Amino acid sequence: MLHIKCPYCGMRSQNEFSYGGDASVKRPELNKEISDQEWDSFVYNRKSLRGKHLELWQHLSGCRQWIKVERDTATHEIFNTHKADEEIS
Amino acid sequence: MTQAFRLENGGLINRDKKLSFKFNGKTYYGYEGDTLASALIANGVHLVGRSFKYHRPRGFFGAGVDEPYAIVQLYRNNETEPNVKATEQELFEGLEAKSVNCWPSVNFDIGAINNFLKIFLPAGFYYKTFMWPKSFWYRVYEPFIRKAAGLGVASTKHDKERYEHKYEYFDLLIVGSGPSGLASAYAAAKNGARVILAEDKPRFGGSLLTSDVNIGNQSGEDWANSIIAELKEMPNVVVKNRSQVFGYYDHNMLVMSEKVSDHLPKTKKYHPKQRLWYIRAKEVLISSGSIERPLVFGNNDTPGVMLSSAAKEYLKVYGVLVGKNPLVFTNNDSGYETAIEFKKNGINPIILDSRVNPQSEIINEAINLGINIKFSYVVVAAQGYKKVNSADIAKISDNKKQLGTVENIKCDCICVSGFWTPTIHLASQSGNKTKFKEEIDAFVPGTSKQNETTLGAANGIFTLEETLKDSFTAGQDLSKKITNNDNKISFPNVVEKKSSQHDKFWCVPLPEGKNYKRFLDFQNDVSVSDIEIALKEGYRSIEHVKRYTTLGMATDQGKTSNLNGLQLVSDIENKVVPAVGHTTFRPPYTPISIGAIVGREVGKHSKPTRKSPMHSWHEKNNAVFVDAGVWLRPRYYKQGNETLFEASKREGKNVRTNVGVCDVTTLGKIDIKGPDAAELLNRVYTNAWLKLPVGKARYGVMLREDGIVMDDGTTTRISENHYHMTTTTAQAANVLSHLEYYLQLVWPELNVNVVSTTEQWAGAAIAGPKSRKLLEKLFPNNDVSNEGLPFMGYMESDLFGVKARIFRISFSGELAYEVNVESDNGNFMWEKIIKLGQEFQVQPYGTEALSTLRIEMGHVAGSELDGRTIPYDTSLDGLVSKKKDFIGKRSLNREAFTSEDRQKIVGVVPLDKKTSIPEGSHLVKDAKAPLPNKKLGHISASCWSVEHDNPFSLAILKDGKNMIGEKLFVMSPLKNKVIPVEIVSSHYVDPKGERVRS
Ligand SMILES: [Zn+2]
């Protein structure tokens, strides 16, 4: 079981969180004309990386904040966690 | 019965407490502190089971967790447990056990015919034989394999025992209480670290209990006892015996199974049988020791052939002789220790040492004691069927290829030692890259991935002095990092005997003209010839060889067989062992009971139960409940001998003719506040929300980004910036998460807050033509007329002194209202409604009637909004705004979603107006068409229409729009039904929706 540092609550076990997928995906702006391809890649296409991955988790059974987690999908190492609005370099 | 193999003195057992037990129906005696294995051996019992494949006689091979043979069916306190190792099960008064794998009995076993038909059971036998013909698999092969291959029988009764889970954080977790575990625990504890020390056996001390060493002028055992006694007194230390750390998971979480009560005749009141510990540790020290390696020779599975370390343990811990005429066969000095213990107890062993001319302190001691030692000698084959009675032995050439003349000598046991295999399972599970250590011919942990350190024999260090030094240092250094304390511990003086080099030799060649089976894997009956066949047939990867031969795949996971298997493959392939590589170690290290894994989450505790504030009223009024997610909801209220069908029909009819009341507390409720609340709703729902006036409710549908309907419900504008959203019971949690996702991540600029208020409000739906009259009685000071409170209107009121919210919304399609009060007042509200409703013939109705009412009205619910339908499919497309954008809108342009013959909701009525239609049935054009018959749609929900008094169903049907009036067939192969039906509108009752507005 992973040990995830919620930026608001501290170190918590994975079973308090729910997974939210790739954090680098940006939802297209509302009312903007976009191509079928662009919409498709937003809704369906994910890279499923092996290695370092920036992903979303929600601290569901805690503060309910959505957070960003830098995790290695192969080793499960967690390098860093961020609040949703934090800029990540 | 006498214990003929029990020594007069010695051992750590309690000779003052004699215990009786039964094995295969026969009564024996042992002592407190025995295992089932030691007590049986004390009574001269060596035949305890039959092997997995050939049903050969099986005895004892080890003395602990590594035991591959002695697996029994245990009977304790009127319950039974399979797969119990006799070497681990502690004896208690009245214990009963039986052999497994034997039919009809351990002495005469029909399956042993396999042994003589062994030509049929070579490597890959299952793959080669049972593949064909395919139809034989379920009828013939599988039942046969299952019957012949079982390892005991699981009980089919409910397990009355209690199992617990415990979650703990520690600075250091130390696995194993041998010399290295004790030393590191002691050093870390003295440095103030929070330490847990776990020992899988009942006694602490590990190898110190059986080895002839001296630490700080104490015997090894006394030193261990004094350290443990001190650790137990320290407040920062937890010391646990009977506790197996079996799994090493991510982020330094380990799981440990503590057998709290298995050693007692019955579990004490309020105690668990077992406790599973989830331990998160900053540092993990693995001091799991090593397991002796077998030597491979003919018939080496005969009862009486066992590990020399096990023979020594039976002697020193239990005061039991595994034989009175022992033969020790060794390739290293460890065998000598066992022989010396025999000699000290008046038994004359013979040592066969495969080495040419080894010299060491311990060999000299054996020579001085007058023990008969034969160098360059090997056991060629064990003789005897149910027990060893002699051994064929021979001299072996220096290159280990040629055997001399075979001679037969009498013996009643053969104690084998093929040197030691470090127990690296936990380190490997943690992700450690193990490496091969040439000097000891075994794998040891290499680079750690997590905060894990392996010490002592588990790390391939076999001298006590080095082990203690490493372990004291590790305990001190690692705890210092955590506590910043630096208490130095003085290193004790150590006396031990020095060993000489082991022989790189494990497998005795077959003598000319003989075809003995030489076993590698004792539990799965994998022999040398099986590996040879696998390699001949082209299997190269050790992972493939493992699966093809089943080497190391039994419940002991190859604890004694892995390295000998690897050695053999590398010899045949002319490779070195590290190039062959070892197979992956996976948790659990040893079998764990299902009960321990499940813990207390059984029966009604398997999930939480949520009850509405009116629950006790429902109970008192004969409600029959149904699970709705984690909620318990009344399905119907039983009157007299009514069936579900009769009761729900009565309740539904009463709603249509008078007035009914339904507990709708379980609906999800979300409070939404903030200046941008309307904008959020406008983006989340498919319809327009910016112009909803205060005091009005609106029905809304929300989509996922892929265009599929996520949920529906009404939302009410309570005040300027305050909305009350309702969701379906099932989707309440997901919808809240969904809103939080968009507010926190996608549109953080929106100034809105959301919070669940599901449990803050109790809800009652009051529905039926007389509902307004009832409302007038409930709220005499309010104008609840059609003008005062129109359809989709909202008002705040006072219910006899209690704050109430009234929504004029309807799920049943009748004139209806929902009244909410704060949860604590739920029962008060409910009783008022029932009391004041008497004159209007009010009746409570459950979910079954509720479903019937909504189905015949064509209102969609979870069975239509099933994660596969878009608004068009469920006739909700009228609610999809053309003007504004919202979540999922862009997906609705997809070609499949706009096709002409897109599926759509319809009503279905059987032509005979009598036959009920099973939910989930398929709709087809031609009931007699050849298979696969093309499916046109499926039945999503069925009811018995209250209004029309005949069956009615909703279906999602291809080209549903153009199918009204068509005749089709409903097919349910599950229920074996074919029903001719007519397709009608989904709005079977009040298609214009006049009643809700009346
Ligand atoms: Zn949190």
Side-chain angles (χ1 to χ4, degrees), chain A residues 6-10 12 17 59 62-65:
Chain A
C6 171
Y8 303 92
C9 311
R12 298 299 165 105
F17 294 84
H59 194 189
C63 63
R64 296 200 62 90
Q65 294 299 307

Side-chain angles (χ1 to χ4, degrees), chain B residues 273-550:
Chain B
K273 186 180 186 212
Q274 297 175 3
R275 186 180 286 128
L276 211 63
W277 293 59
Y278 292 86
I279 300 169
R280 191 83 73 171
K282 289 184 185 133
E283 296 286 343
V284 175
L285 296 177
I286 301 170
S287 301
S288 46
S290 56
I291 292 172
E292 202 163 19
R293 276 168 77 172
L295 290 167
V296 182
F297 52 87
N299 301 331
N300 58 335
D301 63 330
T302 312
V305 178
M306 66 165 66
L307 293 173
S308 93
S309 56
K312 190 171 71 165
E313 188 167 336
Y314 286 118
L315 240 166
K316 292 206 76 168
V317 176
Y318 304 101
V320 168
L321 292 170
V322 299
K324 293 182 179 174
N325 194 9
L327 186 64
V328 175
F329 177 24
T330 188
N331 74 354
N332 71 99
D333 286 5
S334 299
Y336 288 80
E337 292 178 24
T338 305
I340 288 168
E341 287 302 327
F342 272 118
K343 187 75 186 173
K344 281 184 186 166
N345 284 288
I347 302 291
N348 285 314
I350 300 170
I351 298 177
L352 304 189
D353 191 330
S354 68
R355 294 174 293 181
V356 183
N357 187 21
Q359 301 213 333
S360 75
E361 219 177 315
I362 190 163
I363 296 173
N364 285 337
E365 188 183 343
I367 293 170
N368 292 338
L369 281 169
I371 294 174
N372 182 358
I373 307 170
K374 291 171 179 286
F375 295 114
S376 289
Y377 254 83
V378 296
V379 175
V380 174
Q383 299 296 351
Y385 184 56
K386 287 176 188 168
K387 177 75 198 291
V388 171
N389 56 29
S390 65
D392 290 346
I393 65 169
K395 211 166 169 89
I396 191 157
S397 62
D398 290 359
N399 68 0
K400 312 289 185 197
K401 297 236 156 51
Q402 266 81 46
L403 293 172
T405 322
V406 174
E407 42 191 310
N408 183 269
I409 59 168
K410 293 277 167 228
C411 62
D412 63 355
C413 67
I414 302 173
C415 307
V416 295
S417 176
F419 204 53
W420 296 88
T421 306
T423 305
I424 57 168
H425 298 64
L426 282 180
S428 172
Q429 286 174 22
S430 87
N432 189 300
K433 288 257 174 290
T434 56
K435 58 179 191 222
F436 192 73
K437 195 170 170 186
E438 207 70 57
E439 307 96 272
I440 62 165
D441 287 291
F443 287 93
V444 292
T447 320
S448 302
K449 197 185 109 185
Q450 306 198 41
N451 292 343
E452 144 269 309
T453 312
T454 306
L455 295 165
N459 194 30
I461 308 295
F462 294 125
T463 71
L464 181 61
E465 184 156 13
E466 204 182 338
T467 292
L468 288 178
K469 262 190 187 135
D470 286 355
S471 307
F472 274 119
T473 312
Q476 211 151 29
D477 291 353
L478 292 170
S479 57
K480 189 179 159 186
K481 273 202 312 195
I482 296 164
T483 65
N484 289 322
N485 294 335
D486 200 4
N487 297 322
K488 288 268 184 284
I489 289 168
S490 60
F491 186 72
N493 185 41
V494 174
V495 183
E496 65 182 316
K497 287 169 206 148
K498 301 266 177 306
S499 292
S500 57
Q501 176 65 33
H502 71 279
D503 201 358
K504 291 175 181 290
F505 166 75
W506 288 274
C507 186
V508 180
L510 284 174
E512 201 120 335
K514 294 286 182 188
N515 200 17
Y516 298 124
K517 275 221 170 281
R518 294 171 294 169
F519 285 96
L520 290 166
D521 185 316
F522 301 103
Q523 203 178 13
N524 261 358
D525 278 5
V526 181
S527 66
V528 172
S529 56
D530 292 322
I531 302 288
E532 288 168 348
I533 289 171
L535 293 168
K536 254 185 227 159
E537 291 183 1
Y539 290 89
R540 287 295 173 272
S541 154
I542 190 68
E543 295 281 0
H544 291 161
V545 171
K546 164 182 162 176
R547 280 158 185 78
Y548 196 57
T549 61
T550 71

Side-chain angles (χ1 to χ4, degrees), chain B residues 206-217:
Chain B
S207 64
L208 292 172
L209 300 181
T210 56
S211 53
D212 189 10
V213 295
N214 204 291
I215 306 171
N217 298 322

